[in-house]
């Protein structure tokens, strides 16, 4: 990060003198912006990516958020979307045409996976999914028509890492674009641009919002690439972030560092507790000293975040369900990144003895929120006691 974090979060992009010295920026809830003269109208039409003319393009409140996120990721520019997957889709679509080939890490986030496996092939784009734990697999899967490598590190549900700098170096050698979903690490704890990645995507719905009350996405990259996305995918697909939602995300950013520190510390305490429990067979978490990618995690991430997955020792479906149902303070839900701790059990996909997934049914993904560590640990303790029935 080139600028002071406190400057980025508290001042960058804001012009308080322009709005009564209000500390919180105004929500410019307007779809349209008028031009006083034909000359200015003409200028606006020719420079739509630079001026506030129509909110599907630019909006002053959204603009503040974009400046802060570009600075957090150390890129020249950023563009905001109405959801994380809208940002992923726009980044991906901006790089491909029919006849191209892409290489993607195995089992990325559900809808990124659907984009790769179901959507791109409809438009004549071929996708090879690879085990990303060895960067060389990207090289081995590369063809003459490969246009980008897709990364997600840590990876969904089991949190495998890719060696980001190594994958970026292979891509540079071959003149291939790189896109990473950096949502799991947050823009504070991992900055892929510094490791050579071209486009960085976040589901702002998660850590950046921090309160489970807004959907949003962001792409960070060079001015040239972001302007290219603005002219094409952004303006035509129209997955725009509303000014009010941008305002909520700016508010989320103000407390991001304290939230992330708290979440990181509580997660370490909860994991220390779980490591001692006989009911837990395995913990998927890159920062566990026994994890084969522990050194890589310390090298490319500044700190741990709040997600990890446990595998229960039990393979008994009623026992697994009893444990989950007995938790009183962990909510059972999708998503993560808010104030509230969550679990997501894979057994929820288990029906009539059929489990349609590559993942074992005794996995539980955890997200640790802002509650007191003891409050969470006591909850886990009592749920383990009830598990055996
Ligand atoms: C949630 C999530 C997304 C999608 O974000 P939405 O705002 O739900 O569209 C993308 N990537 C990862 C890693 C996520 O966890």
């Amino acid at each position: 990060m080139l600028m002071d974090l406190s400057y980025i979060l508290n001042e960058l992009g804001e012009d308080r003198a322009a709005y009564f010295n209000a500390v919180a920026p105004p929500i410019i809830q307007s779809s349209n912006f008028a031009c006083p003269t034909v000359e200015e109208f003409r200028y606006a039409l020719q420079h739509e990516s630079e001026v506030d003319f129509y909110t599907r393009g630019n909006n002053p409140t959204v603009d503040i958020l974009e400046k802060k996120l570009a600075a957090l990721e150390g890129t020249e520019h950023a563009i905001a979307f109405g959801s994380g997957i809208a940002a992923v889709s726009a980044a991906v679509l901006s790089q491909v045409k029919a006849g191209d080939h892409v290489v993607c890490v195995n089992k990325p986030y559900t809808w990124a996976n659907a984009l790769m496996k179901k959507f791109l092939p409809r438009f004549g784009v071929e996708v090879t999914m690879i085990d990303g734990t060895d960067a060389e697999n990207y090289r081995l899967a590369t063809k003459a028509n490969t246009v980008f490598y897709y990364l997600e590190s840590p990876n969904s549900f089991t949190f495998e890492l890719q060696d980001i700098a190594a994958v970026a170096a292979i891509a540079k050698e071959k003149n291939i674009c790189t896109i990473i979903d950096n949502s799991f690490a947050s823009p504070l704890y991992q900055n892929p641009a510094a490791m050579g990645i071209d486009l960085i995507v976040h589901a702002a719905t998660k850590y950046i919002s921090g309160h489970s009350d807004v959907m949003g996405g962001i792409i960070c990259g060079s001015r040239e690439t972001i302007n290219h996305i603005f002219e094409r995918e952004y303006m035509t697909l129209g997955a725009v972030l509303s000014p009010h939602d941008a305002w909520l995300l700016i508010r989320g950013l103000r407390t991001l560092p304290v939230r992330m520190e708290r979440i990181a510390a509580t997660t370490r305490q909860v994991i220390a507790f779980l490591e001692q429990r006989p009911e837990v067979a395995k913990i998927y978490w890159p920062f566990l000293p026994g994890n084969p990618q522990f050194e890589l995690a310390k090298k490319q991430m500044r700190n741990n975040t709040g997600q990890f997955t446990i595998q229960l020792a039990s393979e008994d479906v009623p026992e697994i369900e009893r444990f989950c149902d007995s938790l009183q303070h962990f909510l059972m839900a999708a998503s993560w990144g808010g104030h509230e701790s969550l679990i997501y059990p894979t057994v929820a996909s288990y029906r009539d003895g059929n489990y349609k997934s590559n993942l074992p049914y005794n996995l539980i993904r955890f997200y640790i929120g802002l509650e007191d560590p003891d409050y969470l640990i006591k909850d886990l303790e009592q749920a383990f006691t009830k598990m055996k029935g």
Side-chain angles (χ1 to χ4, degrees):
M1 214 171 293
L2 302 172
M3 281 174 247
D4 281 332
L5 179 59
S6 298
Y7 171 74
I8 296 170
L9 299 181
N10 295 293
E11 293 160 62
L12 178 68
E14 299 179 65
D15 180 10
R16 295 190 171 116
Y19 33 82
F20 314 104
N21 293 312
V23 170
I27 303 169
I28 309 287
Q29 190 75 25
S30 183
S31 58
N32 220 357
F33 298 86
C35 302
T37 63
V38 172
E39 190 51 37
E40 282 168 73
F41 203 130
R42 186 175 293 124
Y43 183 89
L45 286 175
Q46 284 166 19
H47 301 83
E48 205 170 342
S49 71
E50 293 159 32
V51 298
D52 297 317
F53 178 67
Y54 189 53
T55 284
R56 181 154 45 74
N58 277 311
N59 172 281
T61 312
V62 178
D63 203 43
I64 296 171
L65 176 72
E66 291 172 341
K67 286 191 171 128
K68 289 183 189 293
L69 285 165
L72 286 179
E73 283 294 3
T75 60
E76 288 172 355
H77 205 11
I79 191 166
F81 291 82
S83 70
I85 198 64
V88 169
S89 298
V92 163
L93 293 177
S94 75
Q95 299 302 315
V96 289
K97 59 180 187 327
D100 285 344
H101 171 252
V102 310
V103 183
C104 176
V105 66
N106 271 340
K107 62 174 192 52
Y109 169 72
T110 314
W111 295 102
N113 200 41
L115 174 70
M116 299 292 171
K117 287 192 171 151
K118 297 195 181 135
F119 198 94
L120 291 184
R122 277 172 48 204
F123 298 92
V125 176
E126 192 200 351
V127 182
T128 305
M129 312 292 284
I130 53 133
D131 172 1
T133 56
D134 183 353
E136 285 302 310
N137 287 339
Y138 279 92
R139 188 199 302 279
L140 292 173
T142 304
K143 302 184 180 190
N145 58 342
T146 304
V147 287
F148 73 82
Y149 293 162
Y150 189 86
L151 301 85
E152 184 184 279
S153 183
N155 201 190
S156 289
F157 239 98
T158 41
F159 309 108
E160 292 87 0
L161 309 181
Q162 295 104 68
D163 184 331
I164 298 172
V167 177
I170 296 167
K172 288 235 172 344
E173 232 177 77
K174 298 180 175 292
N175 208 10
I176 285 170
C177 173
T178 42
I179 305 173
I180 190 168
D181 183 332
N182 199 30
S183 306
F184 282 108
S186 90
L188 295 189
Y189 289 167
Q190 179 168 278
N191 291 128
M195 297 179 240
I197 297 292
D198 299 311
L199 290 174
I200 296 118
V201 179
H202 282 279
T205 311
K206 312 290 170 57
Y207 283 127
I208 293 165
S209 150
H211 296 76
S212 300
D213 54 9
V214 57
M215 308 284 305
I218 191 91
I219 308 176
C220 303
S222 70
R223 188 161 292 280
E224 190 189 348
T225 312
I226 297 296
N227 283 345
H228 175 88
I229 294 172
F230 179 94
E231 305 282 351
R232 303 182 347 155
E233 289 72 26
Y234 192 70
M235 290 305 286
T236 49
L237 300 177
V240 51
L241 183 70
S242 82
H244 184 258
D245 288 346
W247 184 88
L248 283 168
L249 293 172
I250 294 165
R251 190 174 70 155
L253 280 180
R254 309 279 199 213
T255 58
L256 186 61
V258 284
R259 286 190 284 110
M260 296 312 296
E261 272 171 38
R262 163 86 174 185
I263 288 165
T266 308
T267 301
R268 290 192 293 269
Q269 288 185 57
V270 171
I271 285 188
F273 165 78
L274 290 170
E275 276 188 284
Q276 308 303 319
R277 295 298 307 201
E279 296 89 345
V280 178
K282 183 170 178 184
I283 302 178
Y284 295 84
W285 190 57
F287 281 83
L288 213 59
N291 187 299
Q293 294 186 303
F294 180 52
E295 291 306 320
L296 178 61
K298 285 193 294 183
K299 186 180 121 200
Q300 66 186 20
M301 296 175 72
R302 280 188 204 97
N303 203 350
N304 69 277
T305 56
Q307 308 94 309
F308 61 90
T309 292
I310 64 170
Q311 181 159 29
L312 292 172
S314 173
E315 292 180 0
D316 180 65
V317 171
E319 271 185 23
I320 299 165
E321 292 189 13
R322 240 183 341 263
F323 171 72
C324 297
D325 293 349
S326 302
L327 287 166
Q328 291 170 1
H329 304 308
F330 283 86
L331 304 180
M332 220 182 307
S335 197
W336 45 270
H339 54 90
E340 76 288 13
S341 291
L342 302 168
I343 60 159
Y344 184 124
T346 51
V347 76
S349 310
Y350 184 92
R351 276 179 227 111
D352 311 323
N354 238 324
Y355 185 67
K356 290 198 189 69
S357 163
N358 303 325
L359 295 171
Y361 61 83
N362 57 350
L363 298 187
I364 302 173
R365 186 187 72 189
F366 278 79
Y367 164 70
I368 301 299
L370 299 175
E371 302 91 337
D372 273 326
D374 285 347
Y375 185 72
L376 297 175
I377 289 169
K378 282 205 187 87
D379 195 25
L380 291 165
E381 217 157 22
Q382 64 81 25
F384 280 132
T385 317
K386 293 192 183 125
M387 187 172 167
K388 297 285 173 193

